[in-house]
Amino acid sequence: VQMVESGGGLVPPGGSLRLSCAASGRTISNLIVGWFRQAPGKEREFVSAISWSGDGTKYAESVKGRFSISRDNAKNTVFLQMNRLKPEDTAVYYCAADPAPFRTIGTMTRIGDFTFWGQGTQVTVSS
């Protein structure tokens, strides 16, 4: 499966962006999908993940209450709504997916948990 992120850009502090992750090659309806980010000079870190059906979600503490993950399986797309953005949210954002048939959403937070990755989209929060 190929994952393609879009929706990144430059936004002032306090602003919002909505990232999209479109999949092709197979349906994502039976894939757990996650978002990670990597800031310059830092390791890639977990941001959020969503279960197959969308009824289970997990967020990093740093984005909880500001970011919201959702999915539209009919469109083979997962979204990350980012509100009240801060300069420290500046990073390349990656989406990732994995079948993970025996895993719960709460355990899917490591890079190694995901098989399929996109190329990333840049998010810059700056005035």
Side-chain angles (χ1 to χ4, degrees), residues 40-118:
K42 295 187 176 181
E43 295 185 351
R44 194 171 298 189
E45 64 176 5
F46 171 78
V47 176
S48 183
I50 189 166
S51 64
W52 298 355
S53 63
D55 58 358
T57 58
K58 184 170 178 66
Y59 298 93
E61 285 298 321
S62 59
V63 305
K64 198 172 290 185
R66 299 188 297 122
F67 290 12
S68 178
I69 191 170
S70 61
R71 67 191 297 159
D72 185 339
N73 287 341
K75 295 183 178 180
N76 239 26
T77 303
V78 173
F79 305 98
L80 185 68
Q81 178 67 43
M82 306 186 296
N83 298 325
R84 291 185 281 136
L85 283 160
K86 304 175 181 180
E88 50 264 43
D89 294 318
T90 295
V92 177
Y93 283 70
Y94 300 88
C95 66
D98 196 275
F102 305 112
R103 301 285 297 275
T104 59
I105 189 66
T107 66
M108 297 290 289
T109 61
R110 299 172 299 177
I111 294 172
D113 292 330
F114 293 86
T115 301
F116 308 111
W117 288 83

Side-chain angles (χ1 to χ4, degrees), residues 14-59:
S16 298
L17 280 175
R18 188 192 196 202
L19 303 184
S20 298
C21 173
S24 61
R26 65 170 283 179
T27 178
I28 64 167
S29 60
N30 59 350
L31 299 178
I32 290 177
V33 180
W35 286 94
F36 289 74
R37 66 186 182 186
Q38 188 166 17
K42 295 187 176 181
E43 295 185 351
R44 194 171 298 189
E45 64 176 5
F46 171 78
V47 176
S48 183
I50 189 166
S51 64
W52 298 355
S53 63
D55 58 358
T57 58
K58 184 170 178 66
Y59 298 93

